[in-house]
Amino acid sequence: QVQLVESGGGLVQAGGSLRLSCTASRLGLGTNPMGWYRQTPGKQRELVARISSGGYTDYRDSVKGRFTISRDNTKNTCYLQMNSLELEDTAVYYCATGTWSARSLTVNSWGQGTQVTVSS
């Protein structure tokens, strides 16, 4: 099983920006679909954005126009650039990899999670 290591979370004021990074331990993972999920206490983990091996991207409606997912296959790294952050974006963000499904990923590996807190 591949190991995913996230970084880049933290505390930011509303309207600010953060960039999350996720690096995979296994070479060649750059060909796999990857995604970012988030979870708040008491709620289900939800897909934020996903990117296919070919670079096709997909976002949940609430982050469209504000978040950008990208990948650097040479570094086995996936990024989530988050701009115009809102209080509702506060959550633990998880990187994931797996297979592409109709509306999400069938995840086979999760990162450990990184906290993003947006303050007013």
Side-chain angles (χ1 to χ4, degrees):
Q1 188 174 8
V2 66
Q3 183 179 12
L4 302 174
V5 179
E6 299 133 340
S7 62
L11 174 65
V12 64
Q13 285 191 323
S17 299
L18 282 175
R19 188 176 82 154
L20 306 183
S21 299
C22 171
T23 300
S25 61
R26 194 178 72 198
L27 293 177
L29 192 66
T31 59
N32 289 12
M34 299 187 76
W36 288 94
Y37 290 73
R38 67 187 181 189
Q39 189 171 24
T40 55
K43 293 189 176 181
Q44 282 193 324
R45 196 169 294 186
E46 62 183 22
L47 178 67
V48 176
R50 58 178 179 164
I51 184 166
S52 72
S53 57
Y56 173 81
T57 58
D58 190 24
Y59 300 88
R60 68 181 304 105
D61 288 345
S62 62
V63 308
K64 286 181 181 177
R66 301 188 297 120
F67 290 11
T68 302
I69 188 171
S70 62
R71 64 192 301 161
D72 184 339
N73 291 342
T74 64
K75 297 180 180 179
N76 277 351
T77 300
C78 180
Y79 305 96
L80 185 67
Q81 178 66 44
M82 305 185 292
N83 298 329
S84 301
L85 281 160
E86 302 171 354
L87 297 179
E88 293 74 20
D89 295 319
T90 295
V92 177
Y93 283 71
Y94 296 89
C95 177
T97 188
T99 56
W100 197 267
S101 61
R103 303 182 69 177
S104 185
L105 297 178
T106 302
V107 176
N108 54 40
S109 292
W110 291 99
Q112 81 282 4
T114 185
Q115 176 70 46
V116 171
T117 303
V118 183
S119 65
S120 59

